[in-house]
Amino acid sequence: MESSSSESSLNQQLEELQKQIEKKQRFEESVPAINSHLKLRYPSASPSLRKSFYSVVCRVATILKTRYTAPGFWLAGLRLFELSESLVSAPAEKDHLKNCISQAKKQRSLHYS
C-alpha cells in the first residue's frame, strides 16, 4: 500500500497535469505523463487516488470532444483510454472508457480515411 504522503504528492501531480491538458501546447506531453503514472501507480493506488486518476482521464476525454481535433491529440487520448480501460475494475468506468476508445478510433479514422 502506498504511503499517504506519496499519494498526496501524486494527487498534486495529477492536479497539475489536469491543468496542463487544458493548454493545447502542453496536451501532447501531459497525456503520456498521465499514462506513465497510471502504469506505475494505479495498481497499488487507494480507492480515492484511483478516482483521481479516473477523473483526469475523463477530463482528457472531455477536452478531446470539445476542443482539440488534431489526430495526434486523439492518438494520445486513445492510448490513455486503452490503458485506463485495462486497469479499472468498476463496470461503469470500464463502459465509459470503452465509449472513449470507440470515439477516439472513430475520430482517427475520419482523419485517415
Side-chain angles (χ1 to χ4, degrees):
M1 196 71 188
E2 295 281 335
S3 72
S4 61
S5 66
S6 157
E7 285 217 354
S8 171
S9 164
L10 182 54
N11 235 336
Q12 288 175 332
Q13 290 174 358
L14 288 173
E15 285 173 22
E16 188 55 39
L17 286 165
Q18 186 159 345
K19 287 179 197 151
Q20 289 177 15
I21 61 173
E22 304 283 339
K23 300 177 182 94
K24 198 169 193 172
Q25 65 274 21
R26 302 293 303 273
F27 185 90
E28 282 184 285
E29 70 193 50
S30 300
V31 172
I34 297 166
N35 253 340
S36 178
H37 285 305
L38 262 173
K39 270 186 217 157
L40 293 172
R41 305 290 294 277
Y42 190 90
S44 62
S46 69
S48 69
L49 188 56
R50 287 179 174 209
K51 280 195 184 348
S52 297
F53 271 117
Y54 182 68
S55 172
V56 172
V57 172
C58 289
R59 187 67 195 136
V60 169
T62 300
I63 288 171
L64 282 171
K65 287 178 201 167
T66 59
R67 289 197 221 163
Y68 307 154
T69 58
F73 291 131
W74 279 100
L75 178 59
L78 174 62
R79 289 183 179 140
L80 179 66
F81 304 147
E82 287 174 337
L83 174 62
S84 301
E85 194 267 336
S86 75
L87 293 170
V88 300
S89 55
E93 291 178 2
K94 251 194 193 319
D95 286 347
H96 180 249
L97 289 164
K98 282 180 180 157
N99 286 337
C100 293
I101 290 166
S102 163
Q103 187 160 23
K105 285 180 175 173
K106 190 170 17 174
Q107 284 296 327
R108 292 206 61 236
S109 70
L110 291 174
H111 287 285
Y112 294 113
S113 57

